Amino acid sequence: MILSKFKKYALPLALAASMIIGYSGNYYYQERLTTKIDHAQTIFMNLQQYIDMPVLFTNLVIVNDDTINAWTNGQEVAITTGMLKFTKSDSEIAFILGHELGHVLLGHTSGVQPIIPTMNEINADKYGAYLAIRAGYNLCAGKVIWQRMIDTYGGDEGSSDGVHPSNTTREKSLDFPHCYI
């Protein structure tokens, strides 16, 4: 399902993909984004097969917005078309969606405030990598995507919300021995 930029209307994926295609003038771009939307839904369902708890998310929401973002409210997971465009592989999409599933499975959406809020993000990143590798995706995808965030947006500044650590901190937290880029 996809939401408009203002999150007012929910649309089926096929209709949303056709609207995005109709809006863009570049055929390669259109085809690639439509493929990524399809892949994201497949990856989302695949990841859920490797969750060790009886949790099923039936709703992956694709938000037509150029912002690079993904989130969960505990009931559904959302990812923007901007994030899908930013990813370079299915493994990176799996890491991002696994991260969001991690927030729910680690209890981060329960409303209880952690002592160190940034640790929720680090733990969700590690859970995303764990879930992605269990599902057959590349363990190093998380490190790769955070390095691309550093290269694109810088790494030392933290988030102004006090919850999200800096891009550099997140990239370094995924220092698995064989993930050198």
Side-chain angles (χ1 to χ4, degrees):
M1 183 175 305
I2 190 165
L3 298 180
S4 74
K5 185 171 186 172
F6 302 103
K7 302 176 189 161
K8 186 174 179 183
Y9 302 104
L11 304 171
L13 280 175
L15 177 59
S18 68
M19 290 175 69
I20 292 168
I21 287 171
Y23 182 74
S24 175
N26 183 323
Y27 179 76
Y28 174 75
Y29 166 80
Q30 297 164 4
E31 184 176 308
R32 186 166 175 238
L33 183 57
T34 302
T35 300
K36 281 191 172 187
I37 290 171
D38 291 341
H39 282 217
Q41 186 66 45
T42 301
I43 291 164
F44 185 67
M45 297 310 289
N46 186 29
L47 289 172
Q48 292 183 68
Q49 295 176 40
Y50 297 92
I51 295 173
D52 295 326
M53 300 169 69
V55 176
L56 180 64
F57 297 86
T58 56
N59 230 7
L60 173 63
V61 179
I62 308 292
V63 180
N64 188 12
D65 187 328
D66 286 335
T67 306
I68 297 173
N69 201 4
W71 63 92
T72 184
N73 62 10
Q75 303 298 312
E76 60 191 10
V77 172
I79 188 169
T80 64
T81 52
M83 178 62 87
L84 289 174
K85 291 179 222 172
F86 189 74
T87 61
K88 303 287 185 201
S89 69
D90 285 355
S91 290
E92 291 180 10
I93 295 170
F95 170 77
I96 297 296
L97 296 176
H99 168 96
E100 297 307 330
L101 290 170
H103 276 306
V104 176
L105 297 167
L106 295 170
H108 300 168
T109 59
S110 67
V112 176
Q113 296 299 317
I115 294 171
I116 306 172
T118 57
M119 286 308 297
N120 279 357
E121 292 302 315
I122 299 297
N123 289 334
D125 281 348
K126 289 181 179 188
Y127 190 89
Y130 164 77
L131 191 56
I133 196 168
R134 284 196 70 196
Y137 298 99
N138 185 337
L139 170 68
C140 302
K143 187 165 181 63
V144 169
I145 202 163
W146 282 115
Q147 183 60 55
R148 189 174 319 111
M149 288 289 247
I150 291 167
D151 294 345
T152 306
Y153 299 105
D156 294 329
E157 73 288 339
S159 172
S160 61
D161 66 7
V163 173
H164 294 87
S166 72
N167 293 336
T168 301
T169 299
R170 293 179 82 172
E171 186 267 339
K172 289 198 180 312
S173 76
L174 297 170
D175 265 344
F176 301 113
H178 63 286
C179 295
Y180 296 101
I181 52 175

